[in-house]
Amino acid sequence: MKHIKVEKVSKHYKGDGVETRALSDVDVKFTKGEFVSIMGPSGSGKSTLLSIVGTLDQQTSGKLYFDEKLINNLGLDDLADIRFNNIGFVFQQFQLLQTLTALENVLIPLFNRTIHFNKKERAIELLNLVGLSDKLNSFPSQLSGGQQQRVAIARALIAHPDWILADEPTGNLDTQTGNTIFELLQQLNREKKCGVIFVTHDPLLAEKASRVIEMKDGSIIKDREGRSV
Ligand code: ADP
Ligand code: MG
């Protein structure tokens, strides 16, 4: 999947008679291989946009295209397949299962999937890639925050995605650890040609992307080159 296109996408939430406009008529296009940061104050719609782009959530109106294909009307099973084959997710809270080892956590997305590679070999290879070859059998509680996020990144890569969508992946980490996680995402972008969409509060990290998108009140207010174009 080379392109993700968002066309006039809005998302409204209704509750207690109050309507929240999380996104208003957002237009944006992402191309595989880009490293894009999304910045903006809390509540500006960053997570909502990322969830819609990743088909985890649905817009109230507007269109989402993967390459030339309109995604809006697909059923949940088709969406799950497209997601599995194209997109890896990384979250602020790591989202690891506490009762599973690092290796087992990396294998989670393959549960119930028919695939054409050796699952365990692939998981071990990815844990090597993220620098955790000696932690295969450790549980999340035995790992530091940075190590847990590395497990989550290995998990995101298990099905060879074209895209990694990361929602504040450094938000729970100290500055130095956050930098190393950012560098790992940069490395994946460089070496595996993954498109990375990276939501962050940290302007210093955001500027290191090739493209910086700034959001405010549910709109994109700036879309410009970053320092590493
Ligand atoms: P950000 O990630 O930039 O902090 P969000 O996308 O999480 O922003 O939220 C955008 C707006 O939508 C906020 O005003 C938030 O309160 C609201 N919002 C997000 N999710 C929900 C929800 N499930 N129900 C109601 N309002 C929501
Ligand atoms: Mg958010």
Side-chain angles (χ1 to χ4, degrees), residues 7 19 31 34 46 50 57 63 69-70 80 83 85 90 94 101 117 122 130 135 146 149-150 179 183 203-204 220:
E7 204 176 83
E19 194 179 53
T31 304
E34 279 188 309
K46 306 181 298 294
L50 207 69
D57 198 357
K63 291 177 177 155
K69 192 176 161 67
L70 182 66
R83 226 173 16 240
N85 286 306
V90 183
F94 322 133
T101 64
F117 49 82
R122 168 90 182 138
V130 300
K135 302 288 181 192
Q149 195 59 297
R150 286 171 189 275
N179 286 344
E183 280 159 18
L204 291 177
I220 291 178

Side-chain angles (χ1 to χ4, degrees), residues 14-15 40 74 90 98 109 120-121 133 137 141 167 172 177 191 196:
K14 251 199 190 115
L74 295 182
V90 183
Q98 298 300 311
K120 197 170 164 191
E121 244 173 50
S133 49
N137 298 313
S141 60
D167 195 351
N172 257 3
T177 309
E191 292 172 8
V196 177

Side-chain angles (χ1 to χ4, degrees), residues 13 20-22 40-49 167-168 199 201:
Y13 293 104
T20 308
R21 294 172 167 264
S42 188
S44 58
K46 306 181 298 294
S47 294
T48 304
L49 178 59
D167 195 351
E168 305 206 32
V199 171
H201 270 306

Side-chain angles (χ1 to χ4, degrees), residues 182-223:
F182 182 82
E183 280 159 18
L184 177 58
L185 292 172
Q186 275 186 320
Q187 181 195 339
L188 299 172
N189 173 249
R190 228 174 19 242
E191 292 172 8
K192 304 212 177 283
K193 310 292 175 216
C194 283
V196 177
I197 308 178
F198 169 75
V199 171
T200 184
H201 270 306
D202 182 340
L204 291 177
L205 285 183
E207 287 304 328
K208 292 185 188 174
S210 55
R211 178 177 169 196
V212 183
I213 288 176
E214 290 178 38
M215 295 190 68
K216 194 182 172 209
D217 299 335
S219 297
I220 291 178
I221 55 166
K222 265 192 198 150
D223 189 344

Side-chain angles (χ1 to χ4, degrees), residues 87-121:
I87 303 174
F89 294 92
V90 183
F91 300 98
Q92 181 173 3
Q93 311 285 355
F94 322 133
Q95 313 282 30
L96 301 179
L97 290 183
Q98 298 300 311
T99 54
L100 300 183
T101 64
L103 184 62
E104 290 164 345
N105 266 286
V106 174
L107 286 165
I108 290 174
L110 301 182
F111 180 71
N112 253 347
R113 292 262 168 200
T114 310
I115 40 157
H116 307 287
F117 49 82
N118 183 308
K119 294 182 181 186
K120 197 170 164 191
E121 244 173 50

